[in-house]
PDB file of all heavy atoms in Angstrom:
ATOM      1  N   LEU A 465     -42.850  70.579 160.417  1.00 93.00           N
ATOM      2  CA  LEU A 465     -42.647  69.829 161.665  1.00 93.00           C
ATOM      3  C   LEU A 465     -41.164  69.744 162.018  1.00 93.00           C
ATOM      4  O   LEU A 465     -40.787  69.816 163.200  1.00 93.00           O
ATOM      5  CB  LEU A 465     -43.245  68.427 161.523  1.00 93.00           C
ATOM      6  CG  LEU A 465     -44.771  68.352 161.486  1.00 93.00           C
ATOM      7  CD1 LEU A 465     -45.230  66.916 161.261  1.00 93.00           C
ATOM      8  CD2 LEU A 465     -45.362  68.893 162.780  1.00 93.00           C
ATOM      9  N   ALA A 466     -40.319  69.583 160.994  1.00 93.00           N
ATOM     10  CA  ALA A 466     -38.874  69.576 161.260  1.00 93.00           C
ATOM     11  C   ALA A 466     -38.415  70.917 161.808  1.00 93.00           C
ATOM     12  O   ALA A 466     -37.532  70.976 162.673  1.00 93.00           O
ATOM     13  CB  ALA A 466     -38.119  69.233 159.974  1.00 93.00           C
ATOM     14  N   LEU A 467     -39.017  71.998 161.330  1.00 92.00           N
ATOM     15  CA  LEU A 467     -38.662  73.330 161.843  1.00 92.00           C
ATOM     16  C   LEU A 467     -39.137  73.509 163.277  1.00 92.00           C
ATOM     17  O   LEU A 467     -38.418  74.066 164.117  1.00 92.00           O
ATOM     18  CB  LEU A 467     -39.282  74.395 160.942  1.00 92.00           C
ATOM     19  CG  LEU A 467     -39.125  75.848 161.392  1.00 92.00           C
ATOM     20  CD1 LEU A 467     -37.663  76.251 161.377  1.00 92.00           C
ATOM     21  CD2 LEU A 467     -39.943  76.772 160.500  1.00 92.00           C
ATOM     22  N   VAL A 468     -40.330  73.024 163.585  1.00 90.00           N
ATOM     23  CA  VAL A 468     -40.895  73.197 164.923  1.00 90.00           C
ATOM     24  C   VAL A 468     -40.075  72.448 165.967  1.00 90.00           C
ATOM     25  O   VAL A 468     -39.792  72.976 167.046  1.00 90.00           O
ATOM     26  CB  VAL A 468     -42.359  72.722 164.931  1.00 90.00           C
ATOM     27  CG1 VAL A 468     -42.886  72.636 166.367  1.00 90.00           C
ATOM     28  CG2 VAL A 468     -43.233  73.668 164.112  1.00 90.00           C
ATOM     29  N   PHE A 469     -39.647  71.222 165.648  1.00 91.00           N
ATOM     30  CA  PHE A 469     -38.981  70.394 166.647  1.00 91.00           C
ATOM     31  C   PHE A 469     -37.451  70.448 166.569  1.00 91.00           C
ATOM     32  O   PHE A 469     -36.782  70.061 167.529  1.00 91.00           O
ATOM     33  CB  PHE A 469     -39.436  68.944 166.513  1.00 91.00           C
ATOM     34  CG  PHE A 469     -40.888  68.745 166.799  1.00 91.00           C
ATOM     35  CD1 PHE A 469     -41.726  68.168 165.866  1.00 91.00           C
ATOM     36  CD2 PHE A 469     -41.433  69.153 168.009  1.00 91.00           C
ATOM     37  CE1 PHE A 469     -43.075  67.984 166.132  1.00 91.00           C
ATOM     38  CE2 PHE A 469     -42.781  68.972 168.290  1.00 91.00           C
ATOM     39  CZ  PHE A 469     -43.607  68.393 167.337  1.00 91.00           C
ATOM     40  N   PHE A 470     -36.886  70.916 165.441  1.00 91.00           N
ATOM     41  CA  PHE A 470     -35.435  70.924 165.302  1.00 91.00           C
ATOM     42  C   PHE A 470     -34.943  72.334 164.927  1.00 91.00           C
ATOM     43  O   PHE A 470     -34.933  73.203 165.782  1.00 91.00           O
ATOM     44  CB  PHE A 470     -34.993  69.863 164.289  1.00 91.00           C
ATOM     45  CG  PHE A 470     -35.555  68.504 164.592  1.00 91.00           C
ATOM     46  CD1 PHE A 470     -36.440  67.884 163.710  1.00 91.00           C
ATOM     47  CD2 PHE A 470     -35.227  67.841 165.760  1.00 91.00           C
ATOM     48  CE1 PHE A 470     -36.978  66.640 163.988  1.00 91.00           C
ATOM     49  CE2 PHE A 470     -35.754  66.593 166.061  1.00 91.00           C
ATOM     50  CZ  PHE A 470     -36.638  65.987 165.173  1.00 91.00           C
ATOM     51  N   ASN A 471     -34.578  72.535 163.664  1.00 89.00           N
ATOM     52  CA  ASN A 471     -34.109  73.858 163.262  1.00 89.00           C
ATOM     53  C   ASN A 471     -34.379  74.071 161.776  1.00 89.00           C
ATOM     54  O   ASN A 471     -34.834  73.156 161.069  1.00 89.00           O
ATOM     55  CB  ASN A 471     -32.616  74.035 163.579  1.00 89.00           C
ATOM     56  CG  ASN A 471     -31.758  72.953 162.943  1.00 89.00           C
ATOM     57  OD1 ASN A 471     -31.736  72.786 161.733  1.00 89.00           O
ATOM     58  ND2 ASN A 471     -31.040  72.198 163.781  1.00 89.00           N
ATOM     59  N   ALA A 472     -34.077  75.273 161.293  1.00 91.00           N
ATOM     60  CA  ALA A 472     -34.401  75.632 159.913  1.00 91.00           C
ATOM     61  C   ALA A 472     -33.561  74.860 158.902  1.00 91.00           C
ATOM     62  O   ALA A 472     -34.027  74.556 157.798  1.00 91.00           O
ATOM     63  CB  ALA A 472     -34.210  77.135 159.713  1.00 91.00           C
ATOM     64  N   ARG A 473     -32.318  74.531 159.249  1.00 93.00           N
ATOM     65  CA  ARG A 473     -31.466  73.784 158.316  1.00 93.00           C
ATOM     66  C   ARG A 473     -32.031  72.399 158.049  1.00 93.00           C
ATOM     67  O   ARG A 473     -32.111  71.956 156.905  1.00 93.00           O
ATOM     68  CB  ARG A 473     -30.048  73.690 158.871  1.00 93.00           C
ATOM     69  CG  ARG A 473     -29.336  75.030 159.023  1.00 93.00           C
ATOM     70  CD  ARG A 473     -27.875  74.806 159.396  1.00 93.00           C
ATOM     71  NE  ARG A 473     -27.755  74.004 160.605  1.00 93.00           N
ATOM     72  CZ  ARG A 473     -27.806  74.499 161.842  1.00 93.00           C
ATOM     73  NH1 ARG A 473     -27.986  75.792 162.018  1.00 93.00           N
ATOM     74  NH2 ARG A 473     -27.674  73.714 162.892  1.00 93.00           N
ATOM     75  N   VAL A 474     -32.410  71.713 159.113  1.00 94.00           N
ATOM     76  CA  VAL A 474     -33.001  70.381 158.953  1.00 94.00           C
ATOM     77  C   VAL A 474     -34.323  70.480 158.201  1.00 94.00           C
ATOM     78  O   VAL A 474     -34.633  69.641 157.352  1.00 94.00           O
ATOM     79  CB  VAL A 474     -33.206  69.723 160.328  1.00 94.00           C
ATOM     80  CG1 VAL A 474     -33.909  68.375 160.182  1.00 94.00           C
ATOM     81  CG2 VAL A 474     -31.870  69.531 161.033  1.00 94.00           C
ATOM     82  N   ALA A 475     -35.090  71.520 158.492  1.00 94.00           N
ATOM     83  CA  ALA A 475     -36.373  71.694 157.816  1.00 94.00           C
ATOM     84  C   ALA A 475     -36.192  71.891 156.317  1.00 94.00           C
ATOM     85  O   ALA A 475     -36.908  71.298 155.504  1.00 94.00           O
ATOM     86  CB  ALA A 475     -37.120  72.890 158.422  1.00 94.00           C
ATOM     87  N   LEU A 476     -35.224  72.715 155.930  1.00 94.00           N
ATOM     88  CA  LEU A 476     -34.995  72.966 154.502  1.00 94.00           C
ATOM     89  C   LEU A 476     -34.521  71.706 153.796  1.00 94.00           C
ATOM     90  O   LEU A 476     -34.985  71.388 152.687  1.00 94.00           O
ATOM     91  CB  LEU A 476     -33.967  74.085 154.337  1.00 94.00           C
ATOM     92  CG  LEU A 476     -33.722  74.573 152.904  1.00 94.00           C
ATOM     93  CD1 LEU A 476     -35.008  75.070 152.280  1.00 94.00           C
ATOM     94  CD2 LEU A 476     -32.671  75.667 152.891  1.00 94.00           C
TER      95      LEU A 476
END
Side-chain angles (χ1 to χ4, degrees):
L465 289 177
L467 175 65
V468 169
F469 296 123
F470 308 116
N471 56 60
R473 296 188 304 275
V474 176
L476 186 58

